[in-house]
Amino acid sequence: MLFERENTEEKIITATFNIVQKEGVQKATTKKIAAEAGVNEVTIFRKFENKKNLIEATKDYYMAKLLSKLEETFDFDEDDSIEEYLKRSFHGILDFSQEDISIIRVAMQEINGESDKKLLISRITDTIINKMEEFFKLQLEKGEIKNVNSKAISVMCFSIIFQSTILWQIYRNNE
C-alpha cells in the first residue's frame, strides 16, 4: 500500500510539473492536474490539502533533484586545475537533460510571481556560485592564483557559464 501511495503522489507531482511548465502556476488547476495524472481531483486534495501545498511539494521535489545535479556538476577534486574544473563544469551544464532545463525555466518564470519563500532561481544561482567560490578559495590557498576575490571570480565564471549555456538552451527557440 505504501508503494501505491508514493506512486500516486509521484504521478500527481509529475503531472503538476508538466502543467506548470506548459501553462504557468496561475493556469495550472487541480482539475487539469488530476486529468494529467489520471487520478480523481479529490485524491489531490486528500494528499496535498490544497493547490498551494501541491505546487510547493512539486517545487521542492524538482528543486532537490536539480540542486543535487548542480552540486555534482560543480563538485571538484583538490587536484583539479582551474582549466579542468571550468571545462568539466561547462560540459556538465551542456549535458543537462531537457527536464533539468525545464526546471530552470519554471524557476525563471517564478520571478514574475510572488513568493514568500526564497526564489528558486536564487537557490540555483547560490548553489553554483558557492561551489565555485569553494573551488577558487582552494586555488588561492594552493597558490595557483593570487590576489583574486574568490567571490568575484565565481560570479564572473557563473555568468559566463549560465549565460552561454543555460539561457541559450532555454531561449534558443525564441528571438
Side-chain angles (χ1 to χ4, degrees):
M1 192 67 170
L2 178 62
F3 177 75
E4 184 180 314
R5 185 180 74 82
E6 289 176 2
N7 190 25
T8 301
E9 287 178 11
E10 189 175 302
K11 283 182 1 186
I12 293 168
I13 285 173
T14 300
T16 302
F17 183 73
N18 292 339
I19 298 291
V20 166
Q21 70 175 323
K22 286 182 219 164
E23 301 184 24
V25 174
Q26 299 304 326
K27 293 181 182 176
T29 65
T30 54
K31 191 172 194 162
K32 289 178 187 176
I33 293 166
E36 175 89 9
V39 299
N40 191 306
E41 192 176 11
V42 173
T43 304
I44 291 175
F45 291 109
R46 195 170 0 100
K47 298 210 176 269
F48 297 96
E49 294 181 25
N50 56 46
K51 179 183 165 184
K52 182 181 179 190
N53 290 346
L54 173 58
I55 296 294
E56 289 304 316
T58 302
K59 286 179 181 180
D60 290 346
Y61 175 80
Y62 281 95
M63 188 54 57
K65 282 179 70 169
L66 180 65
L67 292 179
S68 174
K69 189 158 187 177
L70 287 170
E71 287 277 344
E72 184 180 312
T73 300
F74 287 91
D75 206 6
F76 58 89
D77 192 42
E78 284 191 29
D79 298 328
D80 285 345
S81 71
I82 295 171
E83 183 178 349
E84 289 171 336
Y85 176 69
L86 292 175
K87 271 186 184 177
R88 192 176 59 252
S89 299
F90 183 79
H91 288 285
I93 291 288
L94 285 177
D95 290 339
F96 269 26
S97 69
Q98 197 53 50
E99 181 183 72
D100 298 326
I101 299 301
S102 293
I103 295 168
I104 295 170
R105 184 179 294 117
V106 168
M108 291 176 72
Q109 290 171 358
E110 183 192 45
I111 294 170
N112 297 329
E114 295 178 26
S115 179
D116 351 347
K117 292 176 84 175
K118 186 174 184 184
L119 291 176
L120 299 177
I121 197 69
S122 297
R123 292 171 61 192
I124 294 167
T125 302
D126 291 349
T127 299
I128 296 170
I129 290 173
N130 290 341
K131 286 301 278 185
M132 293 185 106
E133 187 175 10
E134 247 181 82
F135 175 76
F136 286 116
K137 282 181 180 176
L138 177 64
Q139 298 308 306
L140 280 165
E141 289 171 11
K142 289 172 38 179
E144 294 294 325
I145 53 178
K146 295 179 181 11
N147 301 324
V148 173
N149 180 316
S150 58
K151 183 73 160 190
I153 197 166
S154 300
V155 170
M156 182 191 72
C157 290
F158 163 79
S159 297
I160 292 167
I161 289 173
F162 191 81
Q163 289 177 342
S164 64
T165 57
I166 299 295
L167 294 179
W168 174 77
Q169 289 184 43
I170 289 174
Y171 295 113
R172 69 178 161 203
N173 295 330
N174 301 338
E175 293 183 23

